[in-house]
């Protein structure tokens, strides 16, 4: 038996003895006929093409769905608001994952529906958790995700088809300028319908993100289920060719401390990767 094979078996033995040391948290609203879109977009279309027993004796299902790119939990490509920037299929996949940074402004948003996340909010986060890590995914948690999918509550108006009446929190443009110039971020997101606050008419945050080739996530769900620091977030956007965005399955992995083995999430991941590399060499 080759020496590498002995090492492979040993690593697999170790990995096999480790339980899954992280939990996966879904941060995505269902894509359905309740999906919320900005006014002017077509409604969600879900058509059952086949659902039932076939003449061959087996069950078969197939459906058609149609959706605007920017609805529900989704990603804005940089090209959405800036010419000659990444379209959806151009975004490097490594830019769609990163350390999770959750900026909790729920109390402030409860007092002021038009609240815009400030630089001080970021510095307060850093005073607790240290500097925002490289290639982070930074998401505002305003508590707005709890209002979804009620469009009147999400847009905070009795006229959800009139964008001039919208009142919901988001980012301040000065904060985005600071993040772009002073930190390294892969994605910036919100649990509201837009990375610009509800009363914005010129969408400066969208423009700044587009210019910097940074995607923006919107209508992110379930943010109370992830810690403000310590997670890894994945933004699995549908790879639409030439798209300006698209529906995304956003999720986070959150480490679970295993006191019995003393092994960290990172260690078990490294061991597994080593095992895979050795397997490739052997075969």
């Amino acid at each position: 038996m080759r020496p590498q094979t002995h090492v492979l078996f040993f690593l697999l033995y170790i990995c096999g003895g480790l339980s899954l040391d992280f939990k996966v948290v879904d941060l995505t609203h269902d894509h359905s006929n309740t999906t919320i879109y900005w006014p002017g977009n077509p409604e969600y279309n879900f058509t059952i093409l086949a659902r039932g027993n076939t003449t061959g004796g087996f069950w078969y299902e197939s459906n058609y769905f149609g959706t605007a790119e920017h609805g529900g939990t989704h990603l804005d490509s940089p090209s959405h608001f800036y010419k000659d920037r990444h379209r959806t299929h151009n975004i490097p996949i490594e830019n769609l994952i990163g350390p999770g940074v959750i900026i909790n402004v729920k109390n402030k948003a409860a007092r002021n529906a038009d609240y815009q996340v400030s630089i001080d909010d970021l510095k307060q986060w850093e005073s607790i958790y240290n500097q925002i890590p490289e290639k982070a995914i930074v998401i505002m948690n305003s508590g707005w995700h709890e209002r979804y999918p009620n469009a009147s509550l999400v847009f905070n108006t009795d006229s959800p088809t009139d964008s001039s009446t919208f009142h919901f929190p988001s980012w301040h443009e000065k904060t985005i300028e600071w993040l772009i110039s002073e930190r390294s971020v892969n994605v910036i997101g919100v649990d509201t319908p837009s990375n610009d606050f509800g009363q914005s008419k010129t969408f400066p945050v969208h423009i700044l993100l587009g210019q910097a080739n940074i995607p923006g996530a919107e209508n992110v769900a379930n943010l109370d289920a992830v810690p403000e620091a310590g997670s890894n977030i994945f933004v699995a956007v549908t790879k639409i060719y030439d798209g300006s965005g698209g529906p995304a399955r956003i999720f986070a992995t959150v480490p679970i401390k295993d006191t019995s083995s003393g092994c960290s999430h990172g260690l078990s991941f490294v061991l597994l990767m080593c095992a895979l590399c050795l397997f490739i060499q052997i075969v």
Side-chain angles (χ1 to χ4, degrees), residues 96-266:
L96 297 174
I97 62 174
V101 173
I102 309 301
I103 307 299
N104 187 335
V105 295
K106 291 193 292 183
N107 290 336
K108 295 175 181 179
R111 295 192 297 268
N112 176 12
D114 295 318
Y115 185 74
Q116 295 172 270
V117 181
S118 68
I119 297 173
D120 284 343
D121 291 322
L122 299 183
K123 290 185 175 180
Q124 181 180 1
W125 187 97
E126 290 191 334
S127 71
I128 301 171
Y129 304 109
N130 298 318
Q131 184 169 305
I132 291 171
E134 293 284 306
K135 303 183 183 303
I137 295 183
V138 185
I139 302 177
M140 174 196 77
N141 180 6
S142 67
W144 235 250
H145 55 273
E146 296 176 357
R147 300 175 176 228
Y148 201 94
N150 186 315
S152 293
L153 293 179
V154 169
F155 290 124
N156 198 25
T157 176
D158 293 329
S159 304
T161 59
D162 180 2
S163 61
S164 68
T165 67
F166 293 175
H167 291 275
F168 56 78
S170 198
W171 294 97
H172 194 284
E173 61 193 277
K174 294 294 183 184
T175 310
I176 297 302
E177 288 175 348
W178 186 86
L179 274 172
I180 292 170
S181 64
E182 302 297 328
R183 298 293 183 265
S184 166
V185 294
N186 276 353
V187 177
I188 289 174
V190 288
D191 59 348
T192 56
S194 173
N195 274 304
D196 282 283
F197 80 121
Q199 282 292 291
S200 178
K201 302 298 185 290
T202 56
F203 306 102
V205 170
H206 280 79
I207 294 169
L208 286 166
L209 292 178
Q211 184 178 28
N213 244 346
I214 297 173
E218 295 171 337
N219 289 317
V220 183
N222 203 25
L223 288 170
D224 291 336
V226 292
E228 294 179 4
S231 70
N232 286 301
I233 295 179
F234 303 75
V235 184
V237 63
T238 303
K239 192 176 181 181
I240 301 172
Y241 182 81
D242 254 7
S244 69
R249 186 68 179 265
I250 302 178
F251 61 94
T253 58
V254 180
I256 300 172
K257 292 182 180 179
D258 186 347
T259 55
S260 61
S261 68
C263 292
S264 67
H265 172 33

